[in-house]
Amino acid sequence: MSNEQNKVNEEELQQQETVEQEVEAVGTEGDVDWNAEEGIFPEGDLVDEGQVAMLEAALLASEAKVKEQQDSVLRAKAEVENMRRRSEQEVDKARKYALNKFAEGLLPVIDNLERAIQAADTESEAVKPLLEGVELTHKTFVDTVAKFGLKEINPEGEVFNPEYHQAMSIQESPDHETNTVMFVMQKGYELNGRVVRPAMVMVAK
């Protein structure tokens, strides 16, 4: 075989390879375009619009359920917090006012000690030692109950307050302003801010 024939054969082979490459490239591009038009994923799965809609609906339902569960958790947390606060308030209230009945029972004792002091003859030498003992007992008694929150209400000269005072009579008085407590007939007492017994008073008008 001559050199010219070899050269011709090589050119024909090159042309044939070029044609085959162009055909292969065209075929590949056609497949991609066709797949896109037919709705085929690169993996070859067909797109089903119904399945997509079902998946979107399921996603929305899941999101709604998650939000509902979050709201339920928040409500439960708020209820627990409210229960805790109410329990603390009830315990605090029980602690403050557990002595209410006991304090009411002690008031007549304090009243009697004060009456004994007021009725004593302070000029008598024989009575003075007894009077000092009663006064000391009264002071100790009052100081002790004050440590537990029991305080007296003695509003003489103050403005009448129906929450703490009980008006037994109303009298005209040029020396007092209207609605002022002129005289305290019986002291009142409060326990940690709650009235155990209102003060019995005479009010000016």
Side-chain angles (χ1 to χ4, degrees):
M1 185 178 295
S2 65
N3 292 334
E4 291 181 358
Q5 288 179 343
N6 288 334
K7 187 176 181 179
V8 170
N9 290 336
E10 287 177 358
E11 288 177 356
E12 289 178 354
L13 288 173
Q14 289 178 357
Q15 289 178 358
Q16 184 177 356
E17 288 177 357
T18 301
V19 171
E20 289 177 354
Q21 289 176 356
E22 289 177 354
V23 170
E24 182 176 345
V26 171
T28 303
E29 291 178 358
D31 289 344
V32 172
D33 293 339
W34 179 83
N35 288 344
E37 292 176 358
E38 293 295 325
I40 299 178
F41 286 120
E43 292 82 0
D45 295 333
L46 293 174
V47 176
D48 190 337
E49 295 182 358
Q51 289 181 348
V52 172
M54 289 177 61
L55 291 173
E56 289 178 349
L59 178 60
L60 292 175
S62 299
E63 291 176 349
K65 188 173 182 180
V66 169
K67 189 176 185 304
E68 182 180 353
Q69 290 176 346
Q70 289 176 341
D71 293 340
S72 299
V73 170
L74 291 176
R75 285 195 298 269
K77 185 176 180 181
E79 290 177 2
V80 170
E81 183 66 19
N82 291 335
M83 289 177 61
R84 184 186 65 79
R85 289 178 181 175
R86 285 196 298 268
S87 298
E88 289 180 352
Q89 291 174 355
E90 290 175 359
V91 170
D92 186 57
K93 188 181 294 184
R95 179 183 60 81
K96 284 184 177 180
Y97 306 120
L99 299 176
N100 193 79
K101 292 293 183 182
F102 182 65
E104 289 179 0
L106 294 177
L107 297 185
V109 179
I110 298 175
D111 294 339
N112 290 334
L113 290 173
E114 291 178 348
R115 291 190 188 100
I117 294 171
Q118 293 172 358
D121 184 2
T122 57
E123 301 298 327
S124 174
E125 294 297 327
V127 174
K128 280 185 179 180
L130 294 175
L131 180 59
E132 289 177 358
V134 174
E135 289 176 342
L136 180 60
T137 301
H138 175 264
K139 182 179 184 304
T140 304
F141 203 104
V142 171
D143 291 344
T144 300
V145 296
K147 293 179 181 178
F148 294 91
L150 185 66
K151 298 180 180 179
E152 70 176 25
I153 302 173
N154 188 15
E156 186 171 346
E158 299 178 4
V159 177
F160 176 74
N161 185 346
E163 294 183 1
Y164 293 91
H165 313 149
Q166 182 178 353
M168 305 305 293
S169 65
I170 299 176
Q171 299 289 336
E172 293 184 359
S173 174
D175 300 326
H176 298 83
E177 294 183 1
T178 301
N179 208 35
T180 300
V181 176
M182 298 171 51
F183 178 71
V184 178
M185 300 175 181
Q186 186 182 61
K187 293 178 182 178
Y189 286 87
E190 60 176 324
L191 179 64
N192 294 314
R194 175 188 287 182
V195 176
V196 177
R197 186 182 73 186
M200 297 180 181
V201 299
M202 180 184 295
V203 184
K205 72 173 182 178

